[in-house]
């Protein structure tokens, strides 16, 4: 398809999807809040899905992220925090929210971003709200990203950080939490911990996890048009950068294929308007079949990583997590 026809196809699809969103907003109260519908519309208008789908624009995004990621980690800009926040450089660069020796739980948060982007403003706003509501410390590591790095570099840094943290506190008080690509990394990391004979974190919380690098589930096609943010082929291309020379079916990259029986206290949040939905449900079935304590919350009519956005549904998730963490 040439550039002119490609752009026409994209604009037509956007117009159709916006029309669907407006009709759903008119039926507001049926399945989701008005603010959620408006947020989904703004996600579509951002054009990120179109950037992923277009090879030239996608490559420009990769190069932009490459340059940004080479800059030293800095404190988040344009975010007003209501909890203490600071930059820490040991054992690796990270941002620490609400550092407090009296806090009951420590959340290690692996931010998503298609394996190429550092945390965005929305991540920091969500984590600030969560830290305050749950009265928890949150550590956000600046783990290595593509295209300068692949998953092996990230695994090594995360393992060093994990050992450093559980040398200082009970491993049961550590919560590994993540979204999207970060959730795939977190899941594979926990499966790998079990294979190395290392202890599991007290809880694993996954938001819209990317569990199969190749997104090969045939059911995904049924959700592709509903997903206003992610493009299947574009993500596959970025996944190849993350995999490097390793087979993308490797469980460290696609934890949907890995051993799940040693995982502990897994919570999953997933929307029905996203391409990650079929694999999240399949993974839930695998966890339950293995006897793992699992709770999967399905956001009806909700979009990718919806708990991260400032919408009523997110506030519900945050309060729910605060109650769960209080019982940790």
């Amino acid at each position: 398809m040439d550039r002119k026809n490609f752009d026409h196809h994209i604009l037509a699809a956007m117009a159709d999807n916006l029309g669907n969103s407006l009709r759903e907003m008119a039926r507001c109260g049926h399945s989701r809040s008005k603010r959620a519908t408006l947020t989904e519309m703004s996600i579509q208008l951002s054009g990120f899905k179109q950037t992923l789908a277009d090879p030239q624009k996608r490559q420009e995004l990769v190069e932009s992220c490459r340059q940004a990621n080479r800059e030293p980690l800095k404190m988040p800009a344009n975010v007003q925090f209501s909890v203490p926040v600071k930059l820490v450089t040991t054992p690796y660069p990270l941002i620490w929210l609400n550092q407090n020796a009296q806090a009951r739980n420590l959340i290690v948060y692996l931010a998503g971003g298609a394996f190429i982007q550092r945390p965005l403003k929305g991540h920091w706003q969500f984590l600030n709200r969560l830290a305050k509501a749950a009265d928890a410390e949150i550590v956000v590591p600046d783990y290595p990203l593509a295209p300068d790095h692949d998953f092996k570099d990230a695994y090594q840094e995360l393992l060093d950080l994990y050992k450093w943290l559980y040398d200082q506190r009970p491993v049961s008080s550590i919560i590994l939490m993540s979204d999207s690509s970060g959730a795939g990394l977190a899941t594979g990391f926990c499966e790998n911990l079990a294979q190395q004979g290392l202890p599991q974190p007290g809880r694993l919380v996954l938001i819209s996890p990317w569990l199969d690098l190749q997104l090969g589930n045939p059911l995904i096609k049924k959700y592709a048009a509903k997903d206003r943010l992610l493009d299947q082929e574009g993500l596959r291309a970025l996944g190849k950068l993350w995999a490097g020379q390793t087979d993308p079916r490797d469980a460290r990259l696609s934890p949907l294929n890995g051993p799940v029986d040693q995982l502990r206290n897994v919570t999953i949040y997933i929307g029905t308007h996203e391409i990650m939905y079929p694999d999240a449900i399949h993974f839930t079935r695998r966890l339950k079949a293995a006897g793992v304590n699992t709770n999967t919350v399905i956001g009806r009519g909700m979009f990718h990583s919806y708990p991260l956005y400032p919408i009523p549904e997110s506030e519900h998730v945050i309060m729910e997590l605060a109650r769960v963490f209080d019982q940790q």
Side-chain angles (χ1 to χ4, degrees), residues 303-322:
F303 40 85
H304 183 70
S305 294
Y306 74 89
L308 272 59
Y309 293 84
I311 55 178
E313 291 83 352
S314 172
E315 294 304 318
H316 177 76
V317 169
I318 287 173
M319 298 313 298
E320 184 178 64
L321 287 173

Side-chain angles (χ1 to χ4, degrees), residues 175-242:
I175 298 164
L176 187 54
M177 184 174 178
S178 47
D179 68 276
S180 195
S181 57
L185 173 59
T187 307
F189 179 75
C190 286
E191 291 177 354
N192 196 250
L193 284 177
Q195 293 180 330
Q196 296 186 54
L198 294 170
Q200 293 288 313
R203 184 170 296 276
L204 177 62
V205 181
L206 308 173
I207 298 173
S208 296
W210 182 1
L211 297 167
D212 173 18
L213 208 62
Q214 295 183 303
L215 295 166
N217 190 329
L219 293 177
I220 287 175
K221 292 181 179 179
K222 297 175 63 175
Y223 295 85
K226 293 181 179 181
D227 195 318
R228 311 296 196 239
L229 182 67
L230 302 178
D231 175 76
Q232 188 175 4
E233 293 304 321
L235 288 183
R236 283 174 174 164
L238 296 180
K240 289 180 180 179
L241 296 177
W242 183 242

Side-chain angles (χ1 to χ4, degrees), residues 96-123:
W96 202 311
L97 284 73
N98 205 31
Q99 189 173 29
N100 177 3
Q102 303 303 315
R104 185 171 180 176
N105 294 306
L106 173 70
I107 300 169
V108 179
Y109 194 91
L110 307 185
F115 300 120
I116 60 172
Q117 290 180 318
R118 278 172 161 168
L120 301 174
K121 182 178 180 179
H123 283 105

